[in-house]
Amino acid sequence: MASEAEQRAKAARRRSGAIGRHGEDLACAWLQREGYTILERNWRRPCGELDIIAERAGVVIGVEVKTRTSATVGEPEEAVTRSKQRKLLLTLQTFLMENGAEQRPYQLDVIAVRLAPGGAHLETRHYAAAIALEE
């Protein structure tokens, strides 16, 4: 039988996952309103995961979505560390190779979503080409 602490931790992970999915849904809707085509969601490989893979004007765009209901741990976009950026780049390059698109232009964006504690949408911030591509 799980301890009370373990049960609380499990419930927190479920809430966090639901918040993240809600933020990704909002980000997809925002991108589509802005003329992006969504190619994939939650594309996973051993090297990492891309929350959204989109396309606009011939450019393939990997999108990392960060969602927060409070600023106590910082702004959502601050969670995209250098280590995370390297993983995202490798993952997007893997997607391009697997899809025969290595020669296509690409970029990595970040979308920061702020929600009220109850889940109401407060703000979406889009940082296009936010992650530097290594040459």
Side-chain angles (χ1 to χ4, degrees), residues 101-120:
E102 301 95 325
Q103 301 305 314
R104 299 226 7 229
Y106 63 93
Q107 69 186 46
L108 284 162
D109 294 5
V110 173
I111 292 183
V113 178
R114 291 289 311 272
L115 302 175

Side-chain angles (χ1 to χ4, degrees), residues 15-25 41 65 67 115:
R15 278 191 308 277
S16 177
I19 290 167
R21 280 187 300 281
H22 184 48
E24 289 172 12
D25 291 343
R41 285 190 64 179
V65 181
T67 306
L115 302 175

Side-chain angles (χ1 to χ4, degrees), residues 13 15 43-44 47 79 91-92 106 112:
R13 283 192 298 276
R15 278 191 308 277
W43 193 82
R44 288 181 176 87
C47 55
T91 306
L92 182 56
Y106 63 93

